[in-house]
Amino acid sequence: MSSTPHDPFYSSPFGPFYRRHTPYMVQPEYRIYEMNKRLQSRTEDSDNLWWDAFATEFFEDDATLTLSFCLEDGPKRYTIGRTLIPRYFSTVFEGGVTDLYYILKHSKESYHNSSITVDCDQCAMVTQHGKPMFTKVCTEGRLILEFTFDDLMRIKTWHFTVRQYRELVPRSILAMHAQDPQVLDQLSKNITRMGLTNFTLNYLRLCVILEPMQELMSRHKTYNLSPRDCLKTCLFQKWQRMVAPPAEPTRQPTTKRRKRKNSTSSTSNSSAGNATSSTSSKKKTPAANLSLSSQVPGLGAIPNCSLNPGRDGDLCHSTAVTPSGQFKEKH
């Protein structure tokens, strides 16, 4: 079979200057094919290190994965970072899935200076479920991928918008339990919600809490600080950004000629200026005595939780912020 220009290994007979303007041996869609093959090579013994290697091979270090779908209680949108992506794919298989692959049809590619965007309006995520019953689930939607323009060609952004899904049960299983109404009633119930298992949905809800804590986890891993010290440092830096005055643009000094004034007017002006400065200092005195909690609401007492119980057996203590910027613990 002769190769066509759509073949990723196609070589033009007119030389390399007449080939497609992508510098890669493979097209961006072929990376999805390679990802499907890597997912098929997964075994039951695949641990966290295997999933980390999988994410490192196909996702950038600052990659994000977004899922949008609509449940019974309204539309949902979840975005997770690179550190949470490996766990997302592993939860798919923990929910009873034995096989997972993506099918892209009629996708459009657009090339930019530093990235390649693939927009597929007819994407299907196919999952094969072995439990609670043998079912094939086809989740259809729109997939937008952004690849980096380098030799690795890894995914930088992943956005999958689910439109509809179908759960397919083989006829042979229906024929086997045709005389059992309880089994037929169980087969008629959906095992997923918008094509996603309960394991994956619960993990996405948990990511809403885990994603803002990435700064604390990163600081703990980098500086080897305790969770309480990481929280103190992050909150103190955030407080500094909140109370720091905005930078004012420098103004050029304007030169003005001074006019001579009478001694009486200067004396009266000086006395009036002294009165004004005294009143202004009196007005500023109460403001200087205000505590930090009144200036920045919500930062007066900072809760700190640790896994080790305190003196009274509680897990949480509070830390008060003094006006000088120091932390004082309260038990």
Side-chain angles (χ1 to χ4, degrees):
M1 183 175 62
S2 61
S3 61
T4 62
H6 298 286
D7 189 357
F9 301 99
Y10 170 74
S11 179
S12 173
F14 303 101
F17 299 102
Y18 291 88
R19 294 185 62 189
R20 195 169 179 168
H21 54 274
T22 172
Y24 309 112
M25 279 290 293
V26 296
Q27 296 178 356
E29 286 188 21
Y30 192 78
R31 290 293 288 164
I32 303 299
Y33 170 75
E34 291 179 339
M35 188 178 72
N36 292 335
K37 290 187 62 178
R38 186 71 69 249
L39 290 173
Q40 291 177 0
S41 65
R42 180 202 67 91
T43 61
E44 296 295 336
D45 299 332
S46 298
D47 53 1
N48 294 333
L49 296 177
W50 190 94
W51 287 110
D52 288 338
F54 165 80
T56 303
E57 181 180 358
F58 296 100
F59 290 90
E60 283 289 325
D61 295 337
D62 58 344
T64 58
L65 187 146
T66 303
L67 291 176
S68 301
F69 48 89
C70 188
L71 296 179
E72 296 83 0
D73 53 348
K76 305 294 180 181
R77 180 187 175 97
Y78 297 97
T79 300
I80 60 178
R82 165 64 180 81
T83 55
L84 302 178
I85 290 178
R87 182 62 179 161
Y88 161 75
F89 282 95
S90 64
T91 56
V92 176
F93 291 91
E94 291 176 2
V97 175
T98 58
D99 194 9
L100 166 66
Y101 57 92
Y102 293 87
I103 301 176
L104 276 64
K105 295 182 180 179
H106 308 293
S107 61
K108 299 178 181 179
E109 302 174 2
S110 58
Y111 295 83
H112 309 282
N113 293 331
S114 59
S115 62
I116 305 175
T117 303
V118 177
D119 189 350
C120 182
D121 193 59
Q122 300 181 19
C123 175
M125 180 184 72
V126 183
T127 54
Q128 191 71 52
H129 295 251
K131 57 181 181 180
M133 62 192 69
F134 189 81
T135 309
K136 183 178 181 179
V137 180
C138 299
T139 307
E140 301 174 355
R142 180 182 181 183
L143 179 63
I144 301 177
L145 302 174
E146 182 182 358
F147 293 86
T148 54
F149 213 137
D150 55 11
D151 297 335
L152 297 178
M153 201 162 67
R154 297 186 298 182
I155 300 173
K156 190 174 183 180
T157 59
W158 172 298
H159 190 180
F160 186 42
T161 304
V162 180
R163 283 195 297 262
Q164 61 181 357
Y165 74 104
R166 294 173 296 167
E167 296 186 1
L168 309 177
V169 180
R171 290 179 177 270
S172 57
I173 296 181
L174 295 177
M176 291 172 54
H177 305 281
Q179 306 299 328
D180 194 344
Q182 294 182 355
V183 177
L184 292 178
D185 182 66
Q186 185 179 3
L187 292 174
S188 63
K189 296 179 180 179
N190 293 334
I191 62 175
T192 64
R193 299 177 64 187
M194 293 303 296
L196 303 176
T197 62
N198 290 329
F199 279 83
T200 304
L201 289 175
N202 293 334
Y203 177 71
L204 292 175
R205 297 189 188 102
L206 183 62
C207 288
V208 177
I209 304 175
L210 293 178
E211 190 64 33
M213 296 178 61
Q214 293 304 308
E215 183 179 358
L216 296 176
M217 297 178 182
S218 176
R219 189 176 297 273
H220 170 70
K221 186 177 181 180
T222 304
Y223 301 103
N224 197 18
L225 298 176
S226 63
R228 179 176 297 181
D229 293 337
C230 292
L231 182 61
K232 288 180 180 180
T233 307
C234 293
L235 289 178
F236 182 71
Q237 292 180 355
K238 185 177 181 181
W239 170 78
Q240 284 182 327
R241 292 192 297 264
M242 291 175 61
V243 300
E248 297 182 357
T250 58
R251 299 180 181 177
Q252 296 181 356
T254 57
T255 58
K256 294 184 179 180
R257 294 181 180 179
R258 293 185 177 181
K259 296 182 180 180
R260 294 183 179 180
K261 297 181 181 179
N262 298 331
S263 59
T264 57
S265 62
S266 62
T267 305
S268 61
N269 291 337
S270 62
S271 61
N274 294 334
T276 305
S277 61
S278 62
T279 55
S280 63
S281 63
K282 290 180 180 180
K283 293 181 179 179
K284 291 181 180 179
T285 302
N289 296 330
L290 290 177
S291 63
L292 181 63
S293 59
S294 62
Q295 295 180 9
V296 185
L299 290 180
I302 305 173
N304 291 273
C305 298
S306 62
L307 297 179
N308 298 323
R311 299 177 181 177
D312 301 332
D314 298 333
L315 292 179
C316 295
H317 308 279
S318 61
T319 302
V321 184
T322 62
S324 59
Q326 298 178 355
F327 291 91
K328 182 179 181 181
E329 295 188 3
K330 294 181 181 180
H331 297 281

